[in-house]
Amino acid sequence: MTANQMRSFAIGLLVAASVCAVVYFSTPGQASVAEKVEPITIEVPREPEESELKSMLADKGYVILTESELEAQLDEVETKWTEQLKEIEKQQEKEQEEKEKEKEKQDDKESEVVYRTMLSVVSGMTSIDVGDALVRANIIESSREFSDEVEKKGLAQNLRPGTYEIDSSMSMSEVISIIFK
């Protein structure tokens, strides 16, 4: 740095210090400045109370619950859902059982053997004789039930001699109506 530069720098510092001194000593003291300024009041908003908050939220459509009320409602909903799930499971089990029974019935029908016979009724035979012949041919299960049914219908005297085609898929009433008239 040259001497001229050094002098210029020193003069600049001297001028700056002089200006600061003039400003400092020419302005009034701190007390007089404070007297001229008006006090500013800032109003801090108060925190709303719990009841005010609840009413504001309720006005906007919110539902306010305590923790115990919330837990009670959640438990109630869970109980209802559990009951509904149990009912649905029971229905599904019933439906499954019905399907299985239906399938078993179909399997039984498919595997059921139908016996056919040509029954020859001759004069002098009784309903018991006809029942015995039908039992031997696997058309009915009991000759006693057969004869009781014929007696109940009052057809014992209406036995017609002849040859009849009968199968095990027929009901007892159908067999009786074919042989007795």
Side-chain angles (χ1 to χ4, degrees), residues 99-113:
K99 286 179 182 179
E100 288 175 4
K101 286 180 183 179
E102 201 171 295
K103 187 176 182 182
E104 287 175 9
K105 286 180 182 179
Q106 288 178 352
D107 290 345
D108 288 345
K109 285 182 181 179
E110 290 173 2
S111 65
E112 185 177 307
V113 176

PDB file of all heavy atoms in Angstrom, residues 99-113:
ATOM      1  N   LYS A  99     -76.404 -79.126   0.521  1.00  0.00           N
ATOM      2  CA  LYS A  99     -75.803 -79.547  -0.742  1.00  0.00           C
ATOM      3  C   LYS A  99     -75.273 -80.978  -0.639  1.00  0.00           C
ATOM      4  O   LYS A  99     -75.446 -81.781  -1.555  1.00  0.00           O
ATOM      5  CB  LYS A  99     -74.672 -78.603  -1.149  1.00  0.00           C
ATOM      6  CG  LYS A  99     -75.143 -77.270  -1.661  1.00  0.00           C
ATOM      7  CD  LYS A  99     -73.971 -76.376  -2.028  1.00  0.00           C
ATOM      8  CE  LYS A  99     -74.430 -75.011  -2.504  1.00  0.00           C
ATOM      9  NZ  LYS A  99     -73.293 -74.133  -2.825  1.00  0.00           N
ATOM     10  N   GLU A 100     -74.629 -81.275   0.498  1.00  0.00           N
ATOM     11  CA  GLU A 100     -74.101 -82.619   0.696  1.00  0.00           C
ATOM     12  C   GLU A 100     -75.229 -83.642   0.752  1.00  0.00           C
ATOM     13  O   GLU A 100     -75.126 -84.713   0.154  1.00  0.00           O
ATOM     14  CB  GLU A 100     -73.255 -82.677   1.967  1.00  0.00           C
ATOM     15  CG  GLU A 100     -71.924 -81.962   1.844  1.00  0.00           C
ATOM     16  CD  GLU A 100     -71.137 -81.915   3.153  1.00  0.00           C
ATOM     17  OE1 GLU A 100     -71.605 -82.509   4.159  1.00  0.00           O
ATOM     18  OE2 GLU A 100     -70.066 -81.287   3.162  1.00  0.00           O
ATOM     19  N   LYS A 101     -76.324 -83.308   1.476  1.00  0.00           N
ATOM     20  CA  LYS A 101     -77.471 -84.220   1.551  1.00  0.00           C
ATOM     21  C   LYS A 101     -78.075 -84.426   0.169  1.00  0.00           C
ATOM     22  O   LYS A 101     -78.435 -85.540  -0.209  1.00  0.00           O
ATOM     23  CB  LYS A 101     -78.529 -83.668   2.515  1.00  0.00           C
ATOM     24  CG  LYS A 101     -78.153 -83.800   3.968  1.00  0.00           C
ATOM     25  CD  LYS A 101     -79.242 -83.240   4.866  1.00  0.00           C
ATOM     26  CE  LYS A 101     -78.849 -83.304   6.326  1.00  0.00           C
ATOM     27  NZ  LYS A 101     -79.895 -82.729   7.194  1.00  0.00           N
ATOM     28  N   GLU A 102     -78.201 -83.319  -0.563  1.00  0.00           N
ATOM     29  CA  GLU A 102     -78.762 -83.401  -1.907  1.00  0.00           C
ATOM     30  C   GLU A 102     -77.877 -84.268  -2.802  1.00  0.00           C
ATOM     31  O   GLU A 102     -78.372 -85.095  -3.578  1.00  0.00           O
ATOM     32  CB  GLU A 102     -78.887 -81.989  -2.491  1.00  0.00           C
ATOM     33  CG  GLU A 102     -79.876 -81.872  -3.619  1.00  0.00           C
ATOM     34  CD  GLU A 102     -80.096 -80.421  -3.981  1.00  0.00           C
ATOM     35  OE1 GLU A 102     -80.625 -79.666  -3.148  1.00  0.00           O
ATOM     36  OE2 GLU A 102     -79.725 -80.066  -5.109  1.00  0.00           O
ATOM     37  N   LYS A 103     -76.578 -84.078  -2.653  1.00  0.00           N
ATOM     38  CA  LYS A 103     -75.636 -84.870  -3.450  1.00  0.00           C
ATOM     39  C   LYS A 103     -75.745 -86.348  -3.069  1.00  0.00           C
ATOM     40  O   LYS A 103     -75.722 -87.224  -3.940  1.00  0.00           O
ATOM     41  CB  LYS A 103     -74.212 -84.369  -3.238  1.00  0.00           C
ATOM     42  CG  LYS A 103     -73.197 -85.016  -4.137  1.00  0.00           C
ATOM     43  CD  LYS A 103     -71.828 -84.423  -3.952  1.00  0.00           C
ATOM     44  CE  LYS A 103     -70.832 -85.067  -4.897  1.00  0.00           C
ATOM     45  NZ  LYS A 103     -69.495 -84.538  -4.712  1.00  0.00           N
ATOM     46  N   GLU A 104     -75.857 -86.629  -1.755  1.00  0.00           N
ATOM     47  CA  GLU A 104     -76.019 -88.004  -1.307  1.00  0.00           C
ATOM     48  C   GLU A 104     -77.299 -88.607  -1.866  1.00  0.00           C
ATOM     49  O   GLU A 104     -77.313 -89.757  -2.293  1.00  0.00           O
ATOM     50  CB  GLU A 104     -76.028 -88.071   0.220  1.00  0.00           C
ATOM     51  CG  GLU A 104     -74.680 -87.849   0.862  1.00  0.00           C
ATOM     52  CD  GLU A 104     -74.747 -87.809   2.387  1.00  0.00           C
ATOM     53  OE1 GLU A 104     -75.824 -88.119   2.951  1.00  0.00           O
ATOM     54  OE2 GLU A 104     -73.726 -87.481   2.999  1.00  0.00           O
ATOM     55  N   LYS A 105     -78.390 -87.827  -1.859  1.00  0.00           N
ATOM     56  CA  LYS A 105     -79.656 -88.316  -2.412  1.00  0.00           C
ATOM     57  C   LYS A 105     -79.504 -88.631  -3.887  1.00  0.00           C
ATOM     58  O   LYS A 105     -79.992 -89.652  -4.370  1.00  0.00           O
ATOM     59  CB  LYS A 105     -80.776 -87.292  -2.209  1.00  0.00           C
ATOM     60  CG  LYS A 105     -81.272 -87.193  -0.794  1.00  0.00           C
ATOM     61  CD  LYS A 105     -82.380 -86.172  -0.672  1.00  0.00           C
ATOM     62  CE  LYS A 105     -82.865 -86.015   0.753  1.00  0.00           C
ATOM     63  NZ  LYS A 105     -83.914 -85.000   0.865  1.00  0.00           N
ATOM     64  N   GLN A 106     -78.819 -87.748  -4.616  1.00  0.00           N
ATOM     65  CA  GLN A 106     -78.605 -87.991  -6.037  1.00  0.00           C
ATOM     66  C   GLN A 106     -77.745 -89.227  -6.241  1.00  0.00           C
ATOM     67  O   GLN A 106     -78.017 -90.035  -7.120  1.00  0.00           O
ATOM     68  CB  GLN A 106     -77.952 -86.777  -6.708  1.00  0.00           C
ATOM     69  CG  GLN A 106     -78.885 -85.604  -6.862  1.00  0.00           C
ATOM     70  CD  GLN A 106     -78.198 -84.395  -7.484  1.00  0.00           C
ATOM     71  OE1 GLN A 106     -76.991 -84.384  -7.661  1.00  0.00           O
ATOM     72  NE2 GLN A 106     -78.983 -83.383  -7.810  1.00  0.00           N
ATOM     73  N   ASP A 107     -76.701 -89.352  -5.400  1.00  0.00           N
ATOM     74  CA  ASP A 107     -75.851 -90.541  -5.494  1.00  0.00           C
ATOM     75  C   ASP A 107     -76.652 -91.805  -5.190  1.00  0.00           C
ATOM     76  O   ASP A 107     -76.486 -92.828  -5.859  1.00  0.00           O
ATOM     77  CB  ASP A 107     -74.659 -90.439  -4.534  1.00  0.00           C
ATOM     78  CG  ASP A 107     -73.644 -89.388  -4.962  1.00  0.00           C
ATOM     79  OD1 ASP A 107     -73.715 -88.941  -6.135  1.00  0.00           O
ATOM     80  OD2 ASP A 107     -72.794 -89.009  -4.126  1.00  0.00           O
ATOM     81  N   ASP A 108     -77.537 -91.701  -4.163  1.00  0.00           N
ATOM     82  CA  ASP A 108     -78.374 -92.847  -3.819  1.00  0.00           C
ATOM     83  C   ASP A 108     -79.312 -93.190  -4.968  1.00  0.00           C
ATOM     84  O   ASP A 108     -79.520 -94.362  -5.292  1.00  0.00           O
ATOM     85  CB  ASP A 108     -79.189 -92.581  -2.550  1.00  0.00           C
ATOM     86  CG  ASP A 108     -78.323 -92.583  -1.289  1.00  0.00           C
ATOM     87  OD1 ASP A 108     -77.178 -93.062  -1.383  1.00  0.00           O
ATOM     88  OD2 ASP A 108     -78.802 -92.107  -0.241  1.00  0.00           O
ATOM     89  N   LYS A 109     -79.893 -92.151  -5.572  1.00  0.00           N
ATOM     90  CA  LYS A 109     -80.799 -92.388  -6.690  1.00  0.00           C
ATOM     91  C   LYS A 109     -80.056 -93.011  -7.863  1.00  0.00           C
ATOM     92  O   LYS A 109     -80.565 -93.901  -8.534  1.00  0.00           O
ATOM     93  CB  LYS A 109     -81.474 -91.086  -7.135  1.00  0.00           C
ATOM     94  CG  LYS A 109     -82.554 -90.618  -6.203  1.00  0.00           C
ATOM     95  CD  LYS A 109     -83.209 -89.354  -6.721  1.00  0.00           C
ATOM     96  CE  LYS A 109     -84.285 -88.878  -5.766  1.00  0.00           C
ATOM     97  NZ  LYS A 109     -84.904 -87.641  -6.236  1.00  0.00           N
ATOM     98  N   GLU A 110     -78.851 -92.512  -8.103  1.00  0.00           N
ATOM     99  CA  GLU A 110     -78.067 -93.041  -9.214  1.00  0.00           C
ATOM    100  C   GLU A 110     -77.649 -94.478  -8.945  1.00  0.00           C
ATOM    101  O   GLU A 110     -77.601 -95.299  -9.846  1.00  0.00           O
ATOM    102  CB  GLU A 110     -76.830 -92.165  -9.458  1.00  0.00           C
ATOM    103  CG  GLU A 110     -77.151 -90.808 -10.033  1.00  0.00           C
ATOM    104  CD  GLU A 110     -75.937 -89.901 -10.120  1.00  0.00           C
ATOM    105  OE1 GLU A 110     -74.832 -90.344  -9.769  1.00  0.00           O
ATOM    106  OE2 GLU A 110     -76.112 -88.739 -10.526  1.00  0.00           O
ATOM    107  N   SER A 111     -77.338 -94.775  -7.664  1.00  0.00           N
ATOM    108  CA  SER A 111     -76.886 -96.119  -7.337  1.00  0.00           C
ATOM    109  C   SER A 111     -78.038 -97.041  -6.948  1.00  0.00           C
ATOM    110  O   SER A 111     -77.825 -98.217  -6.723  1.00  0.00           O
ATOM    111  CB  SER A 111     -75.862 -96.056  -6.205  1.00  0.00           C
ATOM    112  OG  SER A 111     -76.470 -95.585  -5.029  1.00  0.00           O
ATOM    113  N   GLU A 112     -79.256 -96.523  -6.851  1.00  0.00           N
ATOM    114  CA  GLU A 112     -80.411 -97.316  -6.459  1.00  0.00           C
ATOM    115  C   GLU A 112     -80.760 -98.295  -7.577  1.00  0.00           C
ATOM    116  O   GLU A 112     -80.882 -97.927  -8.745  1.00  0.00           O
ATOM    117  CB  GLU A 112     -81.600 -96.389  -6.177  1.00  0.00           C
ATOM    118  CG  GLU A 112     -82.807 -97.102  -5.654  1.00  0.00           C
ATOM    119  CD  GLU A 112     -83.914 -96.120  -5.342  1.00  0.00           C
ATOM    120  OE1 GLU A 112     -83.638 -95.158  -4.604  1.00  0.00           O
ATOM    121  OE2 GLU A 112     -85.014 -96.315  -5.864  1.00  0.00           O
ATOM    122  N   VAL A 113     -80.915 -99.506  -7.187  1.00  0.00           N
ATOM    123  CA  VAL A 113     -81.269-100.546  -8.144  1.00  0.00           C
ATOM    124  C   VAL A 113     -82.789-100.647  -8.187  1.00  0.00           C
ATOM    125  O   VAL A 113     -83.447-100.701  -7.158  1.00  0.00           O
ATOM    126  CB  VAL A 113     -80.647-101.897  -7.725  1.00  0.00           C
ATOM    127  CG1 VAL A 113     -81.083-102.993  -8.666  1.00  0.00           C
ATOM    128  CG2 VAL A 113     -79.152-101.784  -7.658  1.00  0.00           C
TER     129      VAL A 113
END
